[in-house]
Amino acid sequence: MASITFSATSANSFFLPTASVSDYSNQYIRDGFNPLEKNLSDTRKKHNGRGFVSTNVASPPLPAVAPLLPRRDSSNSGDLSHVAWTSVRQERWEGELLVQGEIPLWLKGTYLRNGPGLWHIGDYNFRHLFDGYAMLVKLQFEDGRLIAGHRQIESEAYKAAMKTQKLCYREFSEVPKADNFLSYIGELANLFSGASLTDNANTGVVMLADGRVVCLTETQKGSIVIDPTTLDTLGKFEYSDTLGGLIHSAHPIVTETEFLSLLPDLINPGYLAVRMEPGTNERKVIGRVDCSRGPAPGWVHSFPVTEHYIIVPEMPLRYCAGNLLKAEPTPLYKFEWHPESKAFMHVMCKASGNIVASVEVPLYITFHFINAYEEKDEDGRVTAVIADCCEHNADTTILDKLRIHNLRSYIGQDVLPDARVGRFRIPFDGSAYGKLEAALDPNEHGKGLDMCSINPAYLGKQYRYAYACGAQRPCNFPNTLTKIDLVNKKAKNWHDEGAVPSEPFFVARPGATEEDDGVVISMVSGKNGDGYALLLDGSTFQEIARAKFPYGLPYGLHGCWVPSK
């Protein structure tokens, strides 16, 4: 199915798609499906012989804000114009998608994916993948049918940018341009107070135990409640405690009974571990970890837990106040690499807040932890904690490889830094040192790895399978989906030439007894400017269904599952 182009007008105007209803019909007829057939069941029968189930066609897009980025230029060489790194064409859209294959009837609920969807204001292009304004995409599954849609999150940062056509808040690598020296001084004052920090919640989305759905980023003010059905922005998630601070882990641990997070302390280097009970907005301190070394705490984008412990990572990639003050980004942005400060892993008891182990480990860099569990002896006593992550071989260049310019200008060279499943072993015998090794041969997944998920029933427990994005080289970004078997130390890989898939998200089949009994959902930015939702069988890792969007999908980050009520 070819992608549909939309007319471009001014940034603040509204437009309708240039394609007429008949154009949509002709397009689907070319793809072997006539939406004008009155008897849909006959159409389904006709296509079942080819292995396809046709549920419906995409509805014409709603009136929407015009694109703020020029259309892809198909004449560009290489991957310069890949849709994964372009802004979404309109502010919002919703429609029913034509499904090729078959969606399991037990799959009832909505998959939400958050991520940057707009990397452009006026004539200005953002610098980094993590700068883009947040966009939610939904896949709503019901009785084998699929309703899809997207919408920009209406943060204060986004609304101010749309109104003024310029950057108004500090993003990951972006700083508002000061008109004069006094405005620069004022902006610095706002930085220290947190007023100038973005609330652009473009990283993750979680469903709390009480049903509220919250989009998150690393600034505490960037916690925004949304409606999972309409994708409307409902308002700020205001923390009612007095813990203060400006930043937190972008990835909290959320279960039916608790919400756990880490708050880095930039003044007295360390971390607060906090818990928030279901139905409340109040975080309570579990305990504190003081940094073992270094001028500031290490970056804590994510962290793992076991049944009884919180694992607090202390990376040598540490926050840097000096870099935060600069108007132009350094190669490591708001961080500094301090290998002399070494690397550590700390284990805190959830119940008491006591530190039960702190060990030095080999230098590492990770954005995302996969899972952790407790290793026990024959008598059931915990002897160590095992923690797995997507580890980038202590190579800091991964951050700069995610600059939008680098992603857009790919010309076929193999420039993606290597990555592996890094497995930490943190002993409980009083040792000062822990281990960090590859959990399986990195060649199994192309020596590329990030954006991971597991069966949530195995959170904090011994587990076998993980799902992530891997690499088929040469590449400049993870371009496969991989199922990792940590027992047999093997991986199964899915690849679509030229496509960029986002995080594979596992949804277990109700009543399943096997760890990998379920489906894996991903959204894929295609090589020809299209985008599609993809379903893989969690066990065989074979494709069971896909559904094309009527427009290209930019790359996205993390998601969550909202079951049907």
Side-chain angles (χ1 to χ4, degrees):
M1 183 176 71
S3 62
I4 296 171
T5 58
F6 302 101
S7 60
T9 58
S10 66
N12 294 319
S13 64
F14 287 77
F15 74 99
L16 291 169
T18 56
S20 66
V21 174
S22 61
D23 289 330
Y24 279 86
S25 302
N26 290 335
Q27 181 179 359
Y28 280 96
I29 291 170
R30 287 196 301 272
D31 287 343
F33 173 68
N34 185 356
L36 302 182
E37 290 187 65
K38 294 181 180 179
N39 191 337
L40 187 60
S41 63
D42 290 343
T43 305
R44 286 199 178 104
K45 292 175 184 176
K46 179 167 60 179
H47 291 278
N48 274 340
R50 292 191 346 211
F52 295 101
V53 175
S54 302
T55 57
N56 209 330
V57 299
S59 305
L62 302 170
V65 174
L68 300 181
L69 197 84
R71 294 188 188 93
R72 290 181 305 107
D73 182 358
S74 59
S75 67
N76 286 329
S77 62
D79 241 1
L80 184 63
S81 59
H82 200 293
V83 71
W85 321 121
T86 61
S87 296
V88 72
R89 298 295 196 265
Q90 68 258 55
E91 188 178 56
R92 60 191 174 97
W93 178 86
E94 183 174 295
E96 186 167 359
L97 300 185
L98 172 69
V99 176
Q100 296 180 337
E102 190 165 4
I103 297 173
L105 294 179
W106 59 259
L107 189 63
K108 297 179 184 292
T110 299
Y111 172 63
L112 297 174
R113 189 197 74 179
N114 196 2
L118 182 66
W119 287 291
H120 191 84
I121 303 175
D123 295 328
Y124 183 73
N125 282 292
F126 287 170
R127 283 183 270 236
H128 202 277
L129 173 64
F130 299 159
D131 286 325
Y133 289 120
M135 181 187 77
L136 279 172
V137 186
K138 75 169 183 178
L139 300 175
Q140 183 177 334
F141 299 93
E142 190 71 31
D143 298 326
R145 301 172 65 190
L146 176 55
I147 304 292
H150 80 262
R151 188 159 188 166
Q152 293 290 143
I153 296 175
E154 295 179 347
S155 63
E156 293 303 318
Y158 172 74
K159 291 188 293 184
M162 295 302 98
K163 181 179 180 179
T164 64
Q165 285 297 287
K166 66 179 183 179
L167 190 77
C168 299
Y169 292 83
R170 285 178 173 251
E171 302 296 336
F172 179 79
S173 76
E174 302 285 344
V175 177
K177 303 302 180 185
D179 295 327
N180 51 55
F181 181 73
L182 287 179
S183 63
Y184 171 69
I185 295 302
E187 203 277 332
L188 286 182
N190 287 335
L191 170 62
F192 288 112
S193 70
S196 70
L197 294 180
T198 188
D199 66 340
N200 176 25
N202 67 357
T203 305
V205 54
V206 298
M207 188 182 76
L208 305 184
D210 57 19
R212 290 179 292 177
V213 177
V214 182
C215 295
L216 298 160
T217 188
E218 292 190 349
T219 64
Q220 293 190 37
K221 66 189 290 188
S223 303
I224 295 177
V225 183
I226 61 98
D227 184 311
T229 302
T230 65
L231 306 185
D232 288 345
T233 299
L234 301 181
K236 297 280 190 185
F237 186 93
E238 300 282 1
Y239 296 99
S240 60
D241 52 70
T242 58
L243 293 180
L246 303 178
I247 55 178
H248 59 181
S249 170
H251 296 286
I253 301 295
V254 181
T255 69
E256 294 180 355
T257 59
E258 61 187 1
F259 174 108
L260 302 174
S261 187
L262 293 180
L263 312 183
D265 185 343
L266 303 183
I267 306 300
N268 299 305
Y271 314 87
L272 286 181
V274 300
R275 175 186 287 113
M276 186 169 66
E277 300 297 332
T280 74
N281 290 39
E282 183 182 5
R283 299 163 301 179
K284 297 181 179 179
V285 175
I286 300 171
R288 175 185 167 89
V289 174
D290 291 321
C291 287
S292 298
R293 300 279 290 274
W299 188 16
V300 283
H301 185 73
S302 69
F303 64 99
V305 299
T306 69
E307 292 183 90
H308 302 101
Y309 303 105
I310 298 169
I311 293 85
V312 181
E314 185 182 340
M315 280 199 296
L317 185 64
R318 298 180 182 273
Y319 293 96
C320 175
N323 286 354
L324 285 170
L325 294 174
K326 292 178 181 177
E328 294 295 327
T330 67
L332 293 181
Y333 304 95
K334 56 189 175 183
F335 311 107
E336 271 190 343
W337 180 241
H338 286 277
E340 77 287 349
S341 72
K342 301 183 179 180
F344 301 88
M345 296 287 282
H346 311 280
V347 180
M348 176 187 293
C349 176
K350 284 184 185 179
S352 67
N354 293 332
I355 309 302
V356 298
S358 287
V359 298
E360 181 185 336
V361 293
L363 300 181
Y364 66 97
I365 286 181
T366 183
F367 300 157
H368 300 113
F369 281 87
I370 302 171
N371 196 20
Y373 60 90
E374 297 160 16
E375 187 178 82
K376 299 179 180 180
D377 63 16
E378 295 178 353
D379 297 322
R381 292 174 296 193
V382 177
T383 58
V385 161
I386 306 299
D388 295 337
C389 70
C390 304
E391 203 277 307
H392 297 279
N393 294 292
D395 184 353
T396 62
T397 62
I398 183 62
L399 267 177
D400 211 47
K401 296 296 184 184
L402 299 181
R403 287 171 55 205
I404 291 293
H405 171 75
N406 291 337
L407 296 172
R408 287 177 178 162
S409 59
Y410 176 61
I411 55 173
Q413 296 177 329
D414 192 20
V415 294
L416 177 69
D418 289 353
R420 59 181 177 168
V421 179
R423 170 159 288 185
F424 294 95
R425 186 178 187 277
I426 308 167
F428 275 26
D429 60 2
S431 299
Y433 299 95
K435 292 181 179 180
L436 170 58
E437 300 172 336
L440 76 164
D441 184 347
N443 287 301
E444 284 287 324
H445 48 79
K447 294 188 291 185
L449 193 76
D450 217 326
M451 313 304 288
C452 48
S453 73
I454 61 168
N455 183 330
Y458 288 78
L459 175 69
K461 302 175 182 178
Q462 191 160 358
Y463 72 117
R464 178 173 180 175
Y465 300 110
Y467 303 90
C469 291
Q472 180 161 309
R473 295 177 181 271
C475 59
N476 71 332
F477 194 82
N479 59 2
T480 72
L481 300 173
T482 183
K483 177 187 178 181
I484 293 171
D485 184 335
L486 293 164
V487 173
N488 290 332
K489 300 186 182 302
K490 293 291 183 180
K492 296 179 181 178
N493 298 291
W494 174 95
H495 178 67
D496 184 358
E497 183 65 35
V500 179
S502 65
E503 176 187 66
F505 190 89
F506 181 85
V507 179
R509 183 181 63 83
T513 56
E514 297 296 324
E515 183 180 343
D516 59 351
D517 185 357
V519 298
V520 174
I521 304 171
S522 179
M523 296 190 200
V524 183
S525 303
K527 66 178 179 179
N528 295 319
D530 59 356
Y532 57 93
L534 176 72
L535 263 67
L536 303 177
D537 182 282
S539 176
T540 66
F541 217 54
Q542 296 297 307
E543 180 175 332
I544 57 176
R546 70 168 63 189
K548 287 188 177 181
F549 281 70
Y551 55 91
L553 281 176
Y555 180 76
L557 298 176
H558 303 283
C560 77
W561 178 252
V562 180
S564 295
K565 295 180 180 179

